[in-house]
Amino acid sequence: MSGRSAQLVLPISVNPDATWSHWVSREVTGEVESFARALLDQGGAGFFLWASEGQGKSHFLQACCAAKLGARYLPMESLLNYPPEAVLEHAEKETIVVVDDIHLINDHRSWQEALFHCFNRCAETGTPFLASAAQSPAGMKSVLADLQSRLSLLTTFKLPAWELDDFERLLGHLARDRGLLLSDEVARYLTLRIQRRPLDAVRVIAAIDESTLVEKRSPTIPFLKLLGL
């Protein structure tokens, strides 16, 4: 994926595991998954994805980028101190433009204006514009009205909170990727003790993996209790 303009080398890092093969699908996310894959195959205006922090927005957008050669990925958390005109230069010439955590521009008028113009250029060239935020376009009251209006034109999806069974599947998936085997009892134990967010699941499984290697023990409930879980 592309993360730089002709003039700038930008501080953009992506998670190598943020791909479709590592995405845990749920029945409630089937619609946005189908929409995204159709968009990547056939083109379209784009979409707007929103959810609370840690629910998988960045993974989803980075998976879209990984599946599309020539994507321009723009994580706003890393870019707010860079000149927006330079960062967004010729973005509409890429295969897709992906703005992650666009709500972070609330207090940055120059970025709001630049993204408004970038959106318009993408519309003119037929370049899909994808964005994520912590709230829906209707909830972005602090940005320019014109930009909010443009974002509201995009098909909008919300990533819902994780139900118990789905989160247990996620924990099992993350564990298997690290060569760990979680029993159903251990998965349920963890699900009832940590926040049901992919971000927290990744951190906990990483910590368990490291501890089991050091202690040469299996991830049993008594062992997890010794770890403070």
Side-chain angles (χ1 to χ4, degrees), residues 54 162 166-175 178 182 190-191 194-209:
W162 287 74
D166 287 332
F167 197 74
E168 289 178 7
R169 284 197 305 111
L170 173 63
L171 288 168
H173 177 88
L174 293 171
R178 290 177 171 269
L182 295 185
L190 288 173
T191 298
I194 66 175
Q195 289 193 64
R196 289 183 208 165
R197 305 188 308 171
L199 180 65
D200 294 274
V202 169
R203 289 173 178 167
V204 166
I205 294 299
I208 293 172
D209 184 34

Side-chain angles (χ1 to χ4, degrees), residues 7-52:
Q7 288 76 30
L8 295 177
V9 177
L10 301 171
I12 294 175
S13 62
V14 297
N15 179 0
D17 290 332
T19 62
W20 288 129
S21 61
H22 287 92
W23 175 259
V24 176
S25 182
R26 297 176 279 162
E27 183 176 353
V28 291
T29 59
E31 184 179 9
V32 64
E33 292 162 11
S34 297
F35 188 93
R37 289 189 169 96
L39 179 82
L40 296 173
D41 288 339
Q42 304 165 21
F47 63 84
F48 191 104
L49 184 68
W50 70 283
S52 58

Side-chain angles (χ1 to χ4, degrees), residues 176-190:
R176 285 191 298 274
D177 281 347
R178 290 177 171 269
L180 290 172
L181 180 61
L182 295 185
S183 67
D184 293 342
E185 292 77 13
V186 168
R188 176 61 56 95
Y189 176 86
L190 288 173

